[in-house]
Amino acid sequence: MIRMSAVRHRYMTQTDYMSWRMEQDPILRSTIVAVALLDRSPDWTRFVDMMNRGTQHIPIFRHKVVTDPMSPAPPYWVTDPDFDLSWHLRRFTVPAPGGWDAVLDFARTTGMTAFDKDRPLWEFTVLSGLDSGQAALVMKVHHSLTDGVGGMQIAREIVDFTREGTTRAEPAPTAQPQEAEPGARSGLAWYRDTATNFARRASTAVARHSAELARHPAGALRNTATVLGSITRFTRPVVTTLSPVMTKRSTRRRFAVLDVPVEALGRAAALGEGSINDAFLASVLRGMARYHRLHGVDVPQLRLTLPISLRTADDSPGGNHITLARFGLPTDIGDPAELIRSVHATVDGWRNEPAVALSPTIAGALNLLPASTLGNMLKHVDFVASNVVGSPIPLFIAGSEVLRYYAFSPTLGSAFNVTLMSYTSQCCIGIDADTDAVPDLDALTACLADGFRDVLALCPDAQDVAATHA
């Protein structure tokens, strides 16, 4: 069992702080919304008990963020002395006819609403009254609380694995996060500790590099140049979109979903000598080529932001353990198998960039720049694509079975975010679109669905793709 016995840092990590600072521009609001479609309404008493136990197992759900205007350091986490579970849990009945589009409309509205930052940064809402007695659970969390992989780890700590329930040990007493001493004195101490740790890592690296330089001078210099080049590629400014169509940005959002069979997408990926993630990206690229042709434009490539997970088995489920790679991928390759191979080569290269291991340090450097600088870079990326491995077995919430599980991740200033969450036999794909960049979400969704059909055509017996938007 994963237990977050204490917040490891009283201050936000640099990667968490980056997502927090982005929100100085509301277009970059870092809210994650997930929607679980349930076969029935959960038992409310059981649901409240489940969440009460879960927030004790995962205490960061009882912590709030404190920003000290007198301190130059990042915000820090403290236990909310006024924590009220009932404020974070809501339930409503959707109006007749109770369709899925009502759930997506509620989800996109809650995703557009800012958090009360004087409370823990999450809200869960049960929506009853859907067709055939179904219900939905809409989960809203701030990105500084966790990332996609961490979110699934948290979910497995909270939900059940049978309809009757899952027996769990009572939560152990947990250490509270160390309260930060307010004021500039505390902030200077944070900078001192951060600088000391950085200097220690740097001196170790310099000593190692000096020894390597003495033994193999030419190779050491090449390695140094390689690392510096990698850092430059990760941090270089992006001043224009590659798409001539999806150029506007706003705070308005719409959501849509696609369902794609896991097994068929996996077979298509294998035929293209790639992974499911490669087939996923190839499908999106095929769809984007169609969408741009629909608008009378051919684009040879588009630029995406790809979150790369840095999470290890020793990391707590809270916080962000990702880095963001921004790079171009082709949209003009007609053969799906060839496109999968091309995507695989490019993505594999970025995953193995030397700068990936330096991501926390790079984030710290970027946090020294004005928030608008980072925002302007992100707003010129065309789209975000993320792939999260979900549960291969059914999950249950207070007596109700989860039928589908969709994630709508933030656009990070791009035109849209498309997130694949695998769940049992389906790839549940959530689309979060900026309505100024994509005013015709129905057309975009249809084009993406056709892109997946192009890739699944590598497997002639594959099931069709289902699409819904609201």
Side-chain angles (χ1 to χ4, degrees):
M1 179 182 69
I2 299 170
R3 179 177 289 116
M4 192 174 179
S5 59
V7 175
R8 291 190 175 186
H9 307 285
R10 60 180 183 178
Y11 288 101
M12 281 187 177
T13 65
Q14 293 291 356
T15 50
D16 296 345
Y17 186 34
M18 181 181 293
S19 69
W20 185 263
R21 290 180 73 243
M22 285 180 190
E23 296 199 343
Q24 294 181 27
D25 184 340
I27 291 176
L28 300 175
R29 188 166 290 154
S30 297
T31 302
I32 301 173
V33 177
V35 178
L37 176 63
L38 311 176
D39 70 340
R40 64 179 72 172
S41 293
D43 180 277
W44 185 252
T45 300
R46 284 181 60 184
F47 178 65
V48 172
D49 289 343
M50 179 188 78
M51 292 306 302
N52 183 55
R53 183 195 68 230
T55 60
Q56 294 178 61
H57 277 290
I58 314 290
I60 197 171
F61 272 60
R62 293 178 177 240
H63 297 157
K64 67 176 183 178
V65 176
V66 175
T67 302
D68 186 349
M70 297 182 62
S71 171
Y76 53 90
W77 300 95
V78 298
T79 302
D80 182 7
D82 300 322
F83 178 74
D84 183 352
L85 182 63
S86 66
W87 190 89
H88 296 272
L89 303 180
R90 298 97 184 273
R91 52 177 169 170
F92 301 106
T93 300
V94 299
W100 178 238
D101 56 345
V103 174
L104 291 183
D105 189 60
F106 179 91
R108 67 107 187 174
T109 302
T110 195
M112 292 166 59
T113 306
F115 279 101
D116 179 352
K117 292 185 177 179
D118 291 324
R119 300 177 183 270
L121 303 174
W122 65 277
E123 302 167 8
F124 284 13
T125 303
V126 173
L127 299 178
S128 301
L130 302 187
D131 298 334
S132 305
Q134 293 179 340
L137 175 61
V138 179
M139 296 159 279
K140 174 184 175 181
V141 300
H142 195 278
H143 214 320
S144 63
L145 199 69
T146 191
D147 53 36
V149 176
M152 283 309 301
Q153 291 178 336
I154 291 171
R156 285 190 286 268
E157 279 295 295
I158 295 176
V159 303
D160 296 320
F161 300 105
T162 67
R163 195 180 294 276
E164 293 72 27
T166 300
T167 302
R168 298 182 186 272
E170 287 298 314
T174 56
Q176 301 301 323
Q178 182 181 359
E179 303 291 329
E181 178 186 357
R185 182 178 178 182
S186 171
L188 293 174
W190 176 84
Y191 272 106
R192 179 199 64 209
D193 294 343
T194 301
T196 299
N197 291 334
F198 178 79
R200 185 181 299 116
R201 291 195 302 268
S203 62
T204 301
V206 168
R208 186 185 308 114
H209 180 72
S210 298
E212 182 68 17
L213 185 63
R215 290 193 300 268
H216 308 288
L221 291 174
R222 283 195 301 270
N223 289 340
T224 300
T226 298
V227 172
L228 291 176
S230 181
I231 293 173
T232 300
R233 286 189 289 276
F234 259 79
T235 59
R236 64 188 173 196
V238 177
V239 297
T240 184
T241 61
L242 294 180
S243 169
V245 175
M246 306 182 303
T247 57
K248 297 180 179 180
R249 300 293 185 262
S250 74
T251 60
R252 293 181 291 273
R253 301 289 181 266
R254 287 184 65 198
F255 287 177
V257 300
L258 295 170
D259 293 324
V260 178
V262 169
E263 190 269 341
L265 192 63
R267 282 194 290 134
L271 291 170
E273 302 175 24
S275 65
I276 283 185
N277 185 65
D278 299 326
F280 160 56
L281 293 176
S283 301
V284 174
L285 293 167
R286 293 281 294 177
M288 292 313 297
R290 289 174 179 268
Y291 181 73
H292 281 77
R293 286 197 299 270
L294 184 67
H295 288 270
V297 177
D298 283 315
V299 287
Q301 67 172 345
L302 292 174
R303 184 181 293 109
L304 81 155
T305 294
L306 182 72
I308 298 176
S309 179
L310 307 176
R311 189 175 291 276
T312 68
D314 296 329
D315 290 324
S316 67
N320 283 271
H321 297 272
I322 59 173
T323 188
L324 302 177
R326 298 164 298 129
F327 54 91
L329 286 175
T331 57
D332 57 357
I333 297 177
D335 178 19
E338 182 183 349
L339 180 56
I340 290 173
R341 287 191 290 272
S342 176
V343 167
H344 176 79
T346 301
V347 171
D348 190 59
W350 278 92
R351 289 187 188 279
N352 290 288
E353 282 277 359
V356 168
L358 302 173
S359 295
T361 302
I362 294 173
L366 293 175
N367 283 334
L368 297 176
L369 300 175
S372 59
T373 302
L374 181 61
N376 289 334
M377 293 169 60
L378 293 173
K379 287 179 183 178
H380 293 111
V381 175
D382 297 304
F383 67 96
V384 183
S386 183
N387 174 19
V388 180
V389 178
S391 176
I393 61 173
L395 303 176
F396 297 83
I397 297 174
S400 59
E401 181 179 356
V402 177
L403 304 177
R404 294 285 191 275
Y405 195 111
Y406 303 96
F408 303 93
S409 301
T411 63
L412 300 179
S414 69
F416 67 92
N417 182 307
V418 55
T419 298
L420 183 155
M421 173 76 73
S422 60
Y423 178 71
T424 62
S425 64
Q426 293 293 314
C427 294
C428 301
I429 297 167
I431 304 164
D432 178 359
D434 183 326
T435 60
D436 271 23
V438 184
D440 50 353
L441 180 59
D442 53 346
L444 177 76
T445 305
C447 288
L448 290 176
D450 285 340
F452 279 96
R453 292 187 183 103
D454 287 346
V455 171
L456 294 183
L458 293 170
C459 311
D461 59 339
Q463 301 173 19
D464 198 9
V465 177
T468 307
H469 54 84

